[in-house]
């Protein structure tokens, strides 16, 4: 008896992709903030987002920031948006 494969739910793929994106952006934001030696409070105040929102972004808790927020965070962290976006130049550095 052959088994029928269950159809893959397209929303599961979208959710998994969003989770991955959220986690990658979070890792990069955290790394950039630590390299600058800044606190979450300082960055949040400068970018007008809350400290808890920044903490959620850094933790990769499923939040993907808007481009405006991403650019604001990158500027505050003395980085470019490319530095915090997955698949851009930061990911090409070995040994990071």
């Amino acid at each position: 008896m052959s088994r029928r494969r269950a159809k893959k739910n397209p929303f599961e793929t979208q959710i998994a992709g969003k989770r991955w994106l959220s986690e990658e952006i979070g890792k990069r934001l955290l790394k950039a903030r630590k390299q600058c030696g800044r606190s979450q409070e300082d960055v949040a105040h400068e970018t007008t987002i809350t400290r808890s929102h920044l903490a959620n972004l850094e933790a990769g808790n499923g939040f993907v920031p808007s481009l405006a927020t991403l650019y604001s965070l990158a500027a505050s962290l003395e980085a470019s948006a490319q530095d915090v976006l997955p698949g851009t130049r930061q990911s090409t550095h070995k040994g990071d």
Side-chain angles (χ1 to χ4, degrees):
M1 182 175 204
S2 67
R3 291 186 187 194
R4 293 184 74 184
R5 282 181 120 175
K7 288 186 179 180
K8 203 168 199 178
N9 184 340
F11 294 112
E12 289 177 10
T13 304
Q14 287 178 346
I15 292 168
K18 183 179 177 185
R19 187 176 306 123
W20 174 83
L21 182 61
S22 172
E23 290 171 357
E24 288 300 311
I25 289 173
K27 287 178 198 175
R28 289 163 177 254
L29 287 172
L30 177 62
K31 181 179 179 181
R33 185 175 60 78
K34 296 284 185 179
Q35 286 178 338
C36 286
R38 310 263 319 270
S39 70
Q40 287 179 338
E41 291 84 6
D42 289 342
V43 174
H45 179 73
E46 189 172 307
T47 59
T48 67
I49 65 170
T50 64
R51 190 215 51 84
S52 62
H53 185 69
L54 178 57
N56 279 320
L57 290 173
E58 288 182 351
N61 287 341
F63 298 99
V64 178
S66 69
L67 285 177
T69 299
L70 192 64
Y71 277 100
S72 179
L73 287 167
S76 176
L77 298 170
E78 300 171 10
S80 71
Q82 290 177 328
D83 291 331
V84 294
L85 282 172
T88 56
R89 74 172 164 218
Q90 184 194 43
S91 62
T92 63
H93 295 298
K94 292 187 178 179
D96 281 349

